[in-house]
Amino acid sequence: MRDVSVELADGQGALADALVSAGFPPAGGAPWARVVTAGESTFEAVSPDVEWVLRGGVLVICGGTGPLLAAFNLTPGEAAVEGPLEPLAPGAPPLALARAWPVTGVGYALYRAGDRCVAIAGRRGDGWIAYVGAPEPLLVAACLSWIAS
């Protein structure tokens, strides 16, 4: 079991429930992974997050904009895409979602809706990042499950 810290302002309940169901209990101490939203700040302000990943942490970014995305070469899409999600990565579980936010960046495409990527994950130093366009509980849990496997 790998502990996950959810650091989102809204929607922690549903996300926490999905993570527990996927085998990721809330972090009681030092987490294996953190779930955050990117925010407008400075490169100096996001430096601890970047260093944490480079030293081996796992960071799931649920939308937002700013230097955190730039530091990891990630770009959010502008509007949601409709249609069933298709897993692209071997071992990524199927998801029954009708809509998601497109994302681009450096990493493995984990899911797509139509021709648009909606979740990516990639190594950064000794750690991992995953990026989804919104804090969709099932998609976040699926990304963490793929990284853990």
PDB file of all heavy atoms in Angstrom, residues 90-115:
ATOM      1  N   PRO A  90      -0.054  -0.061 -21.878  1.00  0.00           N
ATOM      2  CA  PRO A  90      -0.282  -1.440 -21.423  1.00  0.00           C
ATOM      3  C   PRO A  90      -0.528  -1.455 -19.915  1.00  0.00           C
ATOM      4  O   PRO A  90       0.198  -0.825 -19.152  1.00  0.00           O
ATOM      5  CB  PRO A  90       1.026  -2.152 -21.767  1.00  0.00           C
ATOM      6  CG  PRO A  90       1.669  -1.308 -22.814  1.00  0.00           C
ATOM      7  CD  PRO A  90       1.235   0.105 -22.547  1.00  0.00           C
ATOM      8  N   GLY A  91      -1.585  -2.116 -19.513  1.00  0.00           N
ATOM      9  CA  GLY A  91      -1.906  -2.223 -18.091  1.00  0.00           C
ATOM     10  C   GLY A  91      -2.768  -1.108 -17.541  1.00  0.00           C
ATOM     11  O   GLY A  91      -3.190  -1.166 -16.393  1.00  0.00           O
ATOM     12  N   ALA A  92      -3.057  -0.081 -18.334  1.00  0.00           N
ATOM     13  CA  ALA A  92      -3.943   0.991 -17.872  1.00  0.00           C
ATOM     14  C   ALA A  92      -5.365   0.443 -17.841  1.00  0.00           C
ATOM     15  O   ALA A  92      -5.840  -0.089 -18.840  1.00  0.00           O
ATOM     16  CB  ALA A  92      -3.844   2.206 -18.776  1.00  0.00           C
ATOM     17  N   PRO A  93      -6.050   0.568 -16.699  1.00  0.00           N
ATOM     18  CA  PRO A  93      -7.399  -0.015 -16.604  1.00  0.00           C
ATOM     19  C   PRO A  93      -8.411   0.771 -17.437  1.00  0.00           C
ATOM     20  O   PRO A  93      -8.247   1.971 -17.655  1.00  0.00           O
ATOM     21  CB  PRO A  93      -7.718   0.109 -15.109  1.00  0.00           C
ATOM     22  CG  PRO A  93      -6.869   1.220 -14.611  1.00  0.00           C
ATOM     23  CD  PRO A  93      -5.628   1.211 -15.454  1.00  0.00           C
ATOM     24  N   PRO A  94      -9.455   0.092 -17.924  1.00  0.00           N
ATOM     25  CA  PRO A  94     -10.497   0.810 -18.671  1.00  0.00           C
ATOM     26  C   PRO A  94     -11.265   1.740 -17.724  1.00  0.00           C
ATOM     27  O   PRO A  94     -11.414   1.443 -16.533  1.00  0.00           O
ATOM     28  CB  PRO A  94     -11.391  -0.312 -19.198  1.00  0.00           C
ATOM     29  CG  PRO A  94     -11.122  -1.485 -18.341  1.00  0.00           C
ATOM     30  CD  PRO A  94      -9.723  -1.333 -17.815  1.00  0.00           C
ATOM     31  N   LEU A  95     -11.748   2.856 -18.254  1.00  0.00           N
ATOM     32  CA  LEU A  95     -12.497   3.824 -17.466  1.00  0.00           C
ATOM     33  C   LEU A  95     -13.787   4.184 -18.196  1.00  0.00           C
ATOM     34  O   LEU A  95     -13.769   4.398 -19.402  1.00  0.00           O
ATOM     35  CB  LEU A  95     -11.692   5.099 -17.238  1.00  0.00           C
ATOM     36  CG  LEU A  95     -10.423   4.969 -16.416  1.00  0.00           C
ATOM     37  CD1 LEU A  95      -9.692   6.303 -16.374  1.00  0.00           C
ATOM     38  CD2 LEU A  95     -10.747   4.504 -15.009  1.00  0.00           C
ATOM     39  N   ALA A  96     -14.873   4.299 -17.450  1.00  0.00           N
ATOM     40  CA  ALA A  96     -16.157   4.678 -18.036  1.00  0.00           C
ATOM     41  C   ALA A  96     -16.408   6.164 -17.773  1.00  0.00           C
ATOM     42  O   ALA A  96     -17.196   6.533 -16.917  1.00  0.00           O
ATOM     43  CB  ALA A  96     -17.277   3.828 -17.450  1.00  0.00           C
ATOM     44  N   LEU A  97     -15.713   7.016 -18.506  1.00  0.00           N
ATOM     45  CA  LEU A  97     -15.908   8.459 -18.399  1.00  0.00           C
ATOM     46  C   LEU A  97     -16.355   8.983 -19.754  1.00  0.00           C
ATOM     47  O   LEU A  97     -15.838   8.568 -20.785  1.00  0.00           O
ATOM     48  CB  LEU A  97     -14.606   9.158 -17.994  1.00  0.00           C
ATOM     49  CG  LEU A  97     -14.010   8.779 -16.643  1.00  0.00           C
ATOM     50  CD1 LEU A  97     -12.682   9.490 -16.442  1.00  0.00           C
ATOM     51  CD2 LEU A  97     -14.968   9.124 -15.526  1.00  0.00           C
ATOM     52  N   ALA A  98     -17.313   9.907 -19.753  1.00  0.00           N
ATOM     53  CA  ALA A  98     -17.833  10.438 -21.017  1.00  0.00           C
ATOM     54  C   ALA A  98     -17.115  11.692 -21.472  1.00  0.00           C
ATOM     55  O   ALA A  98     -17.253  12.102 -22.614  1.00  0.00           O
ATOM     56  CB  ALA A  98     -19.322  10.734 -20.862  1.00  0.00           C
ATOM     57  N   ARG A  99     -16.317  12.309 -20.556  1.00  0.00           N
ATOM     58  CA  ARG A  99     -15.645  13.548 -20.930  1.00  0.00           C
ATOM     59  C   ARG A  99     -14.397  13.720 -20.101  1.00  0.00           C
ATOM     60  O   ARG A  99     -14.320  13.269 -18.966  1.00  0.00           O
ATOM     61  CB  ARG A  99     -16.653  14.666 -20.800  1.00  0.00           C
ATOM     62  CG  ARG A  99     -16.403  15.766 -19.915  1.00  0.00           C
ATOM     63  CD  ARG A  99     -17.548  16.744 -19.908  1.00  0.00           C
ATOM     64  NE  ARG A  99     -16.944  18.039 -20.121  1.00  0.00           N
ATOM     65  CZ  ARG A  99     -17.417  19.148 -19.664  1.00  0.00           C
ATOM     66  NH1 ARG A  99     -18.523  19.172 -19.009  1.00  0.00           N
ATOM     67  NH2 ARG A  99     -16.793  20.267 -19.872  1.00  0.00           N
ATOM     68  N   ALA A 100     -13.398  14.367 -20.680  1.00  0.00           N
ATOM     69  CA  ALA A 100     -12.136  14.626 -19.982  1.00  0.00           C
ATOM     70  C   ALA A 100     -11.472  15.841 -20.618  1.00  0.00           C
ATOM     71  O   ALA A 100     -11.892  16.317 -21.674  1.00  0.00           O
ATOM     72  CB  ALA A 100     -11.230  13.403 -20.061  1.00  0.00           C
ATOM     73  N   TRP A 101     -10.406  16.330 -19.973  1.00  0.00           N
ATOM     74  CA  TRP A 101      -9.685  17.500 -20.478  1.00  0.00           C
ATOM     75  C   TRP A 101      -8.422  17.050 -21.198  1.00  0.00           C
ATOM     76  O   TRP A 101      -7.659  16.266 -20.656  1.00  0.00           O
ATOM     77  CB  TRP A 101      -9.323  18.437 -19.330  1.00  0.00           C
ATOM     78  CG  TRP A 101     -10.534  19.106 -18.794  1.00  0.00           C
ATOM     79  CD1 TRP A 101     -11.362  18.636 -17.809  1.00  0.00           C
ATOM     80  CD2 TRP A 101     -11.099  20.328 -19.235  1.00  0.00           C
ATOM     81  NE1 TRP A 101     -12.392  19.498 -17.622  1.00  0.00           N
ATOM     82  CE2 TRP A 101     -12.253  20.559 -18.480  1.00  0.00           C
ATOM     83  CE3 TRP A 101     -10.726  21.260 -20.199  1.00  0.00           C
ATOM     84  CZ2 TRP A 101     -13.041  21.680 -18.657  1.00  0.00           C
ATOM     85  CZ3 TRP A 101     -11.511  22.386 -20.371  1.00  0.00           C
ATOM     86  CH2 TRP A 101     -12.657  22.581 -19.611  1.00  0.00           C
ATOM     87  N   PRO A 102      -8.184  17.551 -22.401  1.00  0.00           N
ATOM     88  CA  PRO A 102      -6.979  17.154 -23.145  1.00  0.00           C
ATOM     89  C   PRO A 102      -5.720  17.748 -22.530  1.00  0.00           C
ATOM     90  O   PRO A 102      -5.749  18.820 -21.932  1.00  0.00           O
ATOM     91  CB  PRO A 102      -7.223  17.708 -24.546  1.00  0.00           C
ATOM     92  CG  PRO A 102      -8.181  18.824 -24.352  1.00  0.00           C
ATOM     93  CD  PRO A 102      -9.016  18.477 -23.157  1.00  0.00           C
ATOM     94  N   VAL A 103      -4.633  17.014 -22.664  1.00  0.00           N
ATOM     95  CA  VAL A 103      -3.329  17.432 -22.156  1.00  0.00           C
ATOM     96  C   VAL A 103      -2.257  17.040 -23.168  1.00  0.00           C
ATOM     97  O   VAL A 103      -2.439  16.114 -23.947  1.00  0.00           O
ATOM     98  CB  VAL A 103      -3.011  16.790 -20.785  1.00  0.00           C
ATOM     99  CG1 VAL A 103      -4.031  17.200 -19.743  1.00  0.00           C
ATOM    100  CG2 VAL A 103      -2.952  15.281 -20.874  1.00  0.00           C
ATOM    101  N   THR A 104      -1.152  17.751 -23.140  1.00  0.00           N
ATOM    102  CA  THR A 104       0.004  17.375 -23.941  1.00  0.00           C
ATOM    103  C   THR A 104       1.249  17.567 -23.094  1.00  0.00           C
ATOM    104  O   THR A 104       1.219  18.273 -22.089  1.00  0.00           O
ATOM    105  CB  THR A 104       0.130  18.215 -25.229  1.00  0.00           C
ATOM    106  OG1 THR A 104       0.233  19.593 -24.868  1.00  0.00           O
ATOM    107  CG2 THR A 104      -1.048  18.022 -26.147  1.00  0.00           C
ATOM    108  N   GLY A 105       2.316  16.933 -23.500  1.00  0.00           N
ATOM    109  CA  GLY A 105       3.559  17.080 -22.776  1.00  0.00           C
ATOM    110  C   GLY A 105       4.477  15.912 -22.998  1.00  0.00           C
ATOM    111  O   GLY A 105       4.198  15.017 -23.792  1.00  0.00           O
ATOM    112  N   VAL A 106       5.558  15.933 -22.265  1.00  0.00           N
ATOM    113  CA  VAL A 106       6.566  14.886 -22.379  1.00  0.00           C
ATOM    114  C   VAL A 106       6.180  13.737 -21.461  1.00  0.00           C
ATOM    115  O   VAL A 106       6.041  13.920 -20.256  1.00  0.00           O
ATOM    116  CB  VAL A 106       7.949  15.440 -21.993  1.00  0.00           C
ATOM    117  CG1 VAL A 106       8.994  14.351 -22.045  1.00  0.00           C
ATOM    118  CG2 VAL A 106       8.327  16.596 -22.910  1.00  0.00           C
ATOM    119  N   GLY A 107       5.986  12.566 -22.026  1.00  0.00           N
ATOM    120  CA  GLY A 107       5.644  11.400 -21.228  1.00  0.00           C
ATOM    121  C   GLY A 107       4.889  10.372 -22.044  1.00  0.00           C
ATOM    122  O   GLY A 107       4.757  10.493 -23.261  1.00  0.00           O
ATOM    123  N   TYR A 108       4.386   9.372 -21.346  1.00  0.00           N
ATOM    124  CA  TYR A 108       3.603   8.310 -21.977  1.00  0.00           C
ATOM    125  C   TYR A 108       2.140   8.732 -22.010  1.00  0.00           C
ATOM    126  O   TYR A 108       1.600   9.156 -20.992  1.00  0.00           O
ATOM    127  CB  TYR A 108       3.701   7.013 -21.173  1.00  0.00           C
ATOM    128  CG  TYR A 108       5.100   6.494 -21.004  1.00  0.00           C
ATOM    129  CD1 TYR A 108       5.816   6.746 -19.838  1.00  0.00           C
ATOM    130  CD2 TYR A 108       5.709   5.744 -22.006  1.00  0.00           C
ATOM    131  CE1 TYR A 108       7.100   6.269 -19.669  1.00  0.00           C
ATOM    132  CE2 TYR A 108       6.994   5.268 -21.850  1.00  0.00           C
ATOM    133  CZ  TYR A 108       7.679   5.533 -20.679  1.00  0.00           C
ATOM    134  OH  TYR A 108       8.961   5.070 -20.524  1.00  0.00           O
ATOM    135  N   ALA A 109       1.488   8.594 -23.147  1.00  0.00           N
ATOM    136  CA  ALA A 109       0.051   8.836 -23.226  1.00  0.00           C
ATOM    137  C   ALA A 109      -0.653   7.643 -22.577  1.00  0.00           C
ATOM    138  O   ALA A 109      -0.500   6.513 -23.023  1.00  0.00           O
ATOM    139  CB  ALA A 109      -0.386   8.999 -24.674  1.00  0.00           C
ATOM    140  N   LEU A 110      -1.387   7.896 -21.510  1.00  0.00           N
ATOM    141  CA  LEU A 110      -2.077   6.816 -20.811  1.00  0.00           C
ATOM    142  C   LEU A 110      -3.502   6.615 -21.312  1.00  0.00           C
ATOM    143  O   LEU A 110      -3.971   5.484 -21.402  1.00  0.00           O
ATOM    144  CB  LEU A 110      -2.106   7.098 -19.303  1.00  0.00           C
ATOM    145  CG  LEU A 110      -0.756   7.240 -18.617  1.00  0.00           C
ATOM    146  CD1 LEU A 110      -0.946   7.462 -17.121  1.00  0.00           C
ATOM    147  CD2 LEU A 110       0.128   6.047 -18.880  1.00  0.00           C
ATOM    148  N   TYR A 111      -4.199   7.707 -21.625  1.00  0.00           N
ATOM    149  CA  TYR A 111      -5.593   7.645 -22.081  1.00  0.00           C
ATOM    150  C   TYR A 111      -5.824   8.696 -23.145  1.00  0.00           C
ATOM    151  O   TYR A 111      -5.177   9.736 -23.156  1.00  0.00           O
ATOM    152  CB  TYR A 111      -6.562   7.920 -20.914  1.00  0.00           C
ATOM    153  CG  TYR A 111      -6.609   6.809 -19.906  1.00  0.00           C
ATOM    154  CD1 TYR A 111      -5.756   6.808 -18.817  1.00  0.00           C
ATOM    155  CD2 TYR A 111      -7.501   5.753 -20.045  1.00  0.00           C
ATOM    156  CE1 TYR A 111      -5.772   5.783 -17.896  1.00  0.00           C
ATOM    157  CE2 TYR A 111      -7.527   4.721 -19.129  1.00  0.00           C
ATOM    158  CZ  TYR A 111      -6.669   4.740 -18.058  1.00  0.00           C
ATOM    159  OH  TYR A 111      -6.679   3.721 -17.148  1.00  0.00           O
ATOM    160  N   ARG A 112      -6.799   8.411 -24.009  1.00  0.00           N
ATOM    161  CA  ARG A 112      -7.229   9.402 -24.976  1.00  0.00           C
ATOM    162  C   ARG A 112      -8.740   9.334 -25.116  1.00  0.00           C
ATOM    163  O   ARG A 112      -9.366   8.317 -24.820  1.00  0.00           O
ATOM    164  CB  ARG A 112      -6.543   9.222 -26.312  1.00  0.00           C
ATOM    165  CG  ARG A 112      -7.058   8.050 -27.109  1.00  0.00           C
ATOM    166  CD  ARG A 112      -6.440   8.011 -28.490  1.00  0.00           C
ATOM    167  NE  ARG A 112      -6.890   6.806 -29.165  1.00  0.00           N
ATOM    168  CZ  ARG A 112      -6.209   6.182 -30.078  1.00  0.00           C
ATOM    169  NH1 ARG A 112      -5.023   6.622 -30.430  1.00  0.00           N
ATOM    170  NH2 ARG A 112      -6.688   5.107 -30.649  1.00  0.00           N
ATOM    171  N   ALA A 113      -9.294  10.432 -25.581  1.00  0.00           N
ATOM    172  CA  ALA A 113     -10.709  10.507 -25.959  1.00  0.00           C
ATOM    173  C   ALA A 113     -10.696  10.952 -27.413  1.00  0.00           C
ATOM    174  O   ALA A 113     -10.237  12.053 -27.720  1.00  0.00           O
ATOM    175  CB  ALA A 113     -11.463  11.502 -25.086  1.00  0.00           C
ATOM    176  N   GLY A 114     -11.113  10.076 -28.297  1.00  0.00           N
ATOM    177  CA  GLY A 114     -10.990  10.366 -29.721  1.00  0.00           C
ATOM    178  C   GLY A 114      -9.529  10.458 -30.093  1.00  0.00           C
ATOM    179  O   GLY A 114      -8.749   9.562 -29.793  1.00  0.00           O
ATOM    180  N   ASP A 115      -9.126  11.568 -30.694  1.00  0.00           N
ATOM    181  CA  ASP A 115      -7.719  11.724 -31.073  1.00  0.00           C
ATOM    182  C   ASP A 115      -6.952  12.610 -30.095  1.00  0.00           C
ATOM    183  O   ASP A 115      -5.822  12.993 -30.361  1.00  0.00           O
ATOM    184  CB  ASP A 115      -7.601  12.283 -32.494  1.00  0.00           C
ATOM    185  CG  ASP A 115      -8.176  13.678 -32.626  1.00  0.00           C
ATOM    186  OD1 ASP A 115      -8.875  14.135 -31.695  1.00  0.00           O
ATOM    187  OD2 ASP A 115      -7.942  14.317 -33.668  1.00  0.00           O
TER     188      ASP A 115
END
